[in-house]
Amino acid sequence: MRYDGLMRTSLFAVLAFALVLGACDASTAPPTGDYEPLPADNVVTRLDQLLTTDGVRRAQLRADTAYVFEDSATTQLRGVTLETYDESGKLTSTLTSDEGEFNRDTQKTVARGNVVLVIPDPNGRTVWTEELHYDPTTKRLWSDVATRMRMNSGLEFNGVRFTADDEFRNVNVPGGSGTNLPLPVNRQ
């Protein structure tokens, strides 16, 4: 089975665009007399956004809160869960983090704070880190901080950082150490 990619550009782009459109509200009146300006142009609470392509679920984004900033083209998320699915609707990855950020112009994404990425394919792995980046232009994932990865086979390793393509075919963990795992891992 081929892994369909991780946090695909189009998925996040459509999710963020839908988030921005869904957050817009023509009302400008404060809800109460205790009104204080919000730190963003739009704020969405209890976000649950489903993305489908031709009727097939491709991603589901949940966040406790989303802050949309029009002047910087960013959307900041708190309490994030992102699930991605392949073209048949099968789960390909689950990411959870304390926070996330999406840039609508570059479509780059960052997950921060207690980041856990679970890839349930046959070679599956779980990645723990404090910051995970994704650049759709280069189809590259990376973390510049300590990372721990466990394979479904039970092999586990730690590194000072890591980089991988979005299909996890090429994984490089500089300064890594582990149990019976050759580094870097190249499975082309």
Side-chain angles (χ1 to χ4, degrees), residues 37-104:
L38 297 173
D41 296 303
N42 292 293
V43 178
V44 178
T45 57
R46 293 184 302 262
L47 173 73
D48 191 349
Q49 188 72 40
L50 178 65
L51 173 69
T52 61
T53 303
D54 296 326
V56 177
R57 175 177 54 180
R58 294 305 305 263
Q60 182 143 17
L61 173 66
R62 294 180 188 94
D64 296 336
T65 310
Y67 300 94
V68 181
F69 298 88
E70 298 300 332
D71 62 344
S72 66
T74 61
T75 299
Q76 295 180 359
L77 304 166
R78 304 291 184 265
V80 179
T81 300
L82 174 66
E83 296 172 339
T84 60
Y85 302 87
D86 67 13
E87 61 277 349
S88 67
K90 183 177 179 185
L91 181 69
T92 56
S93 70
T94 301
L95 177 131
T96 59
S97 66
D98 294 340
E99 300 178 4
E101 185 174 303
F102 174 76
N103 184 299
R104 292 181 304 280

Side-chain angles (χ1 to χ4, degrees), residues 118-184:
V118 178
I119 302 167
D121 68 11
N123 296 319
R125 66 207 45 85
T126 301
V127 177
W128 294 269
T129 188
E130 284 300 309
E131 186 167 283
L132 181 65
H133 298 260
Y134 176 65
D135 183 346
T137 305
T138 60
K139 296 185 178 187
R140 183 177 147 237
L141 286 140
W142 73 93
S143 179
D144 291 325
V145 298
T147 302
R148 184 174 135 221
M149 185 180 297
R150 182 174 53 220
M151 310 296 283
N152 279 353
S153 65
L155 298 175
E156 188 171 313
F157 62 95
N158 299 296
V160 294
R161 62 184 181 276
F162 94 100
T163 185
D165 62 73
D166 66 352
E167 294 182 1
F168 271 81
R169 290 186 183 175
N170 298 299
V171 179
N172 188 5
V173 185
S177 63
T179 308
N180 302 321
L181 184 66
L183 299 176

Side-chain angles (χ1 to χ4, degrees), residues 14-29:
V14 172
L15 287 171
F17 182 71
L19 172 67
V20 170
L21 289 179
C24 296
D25 183 353
S27 172
T28 58

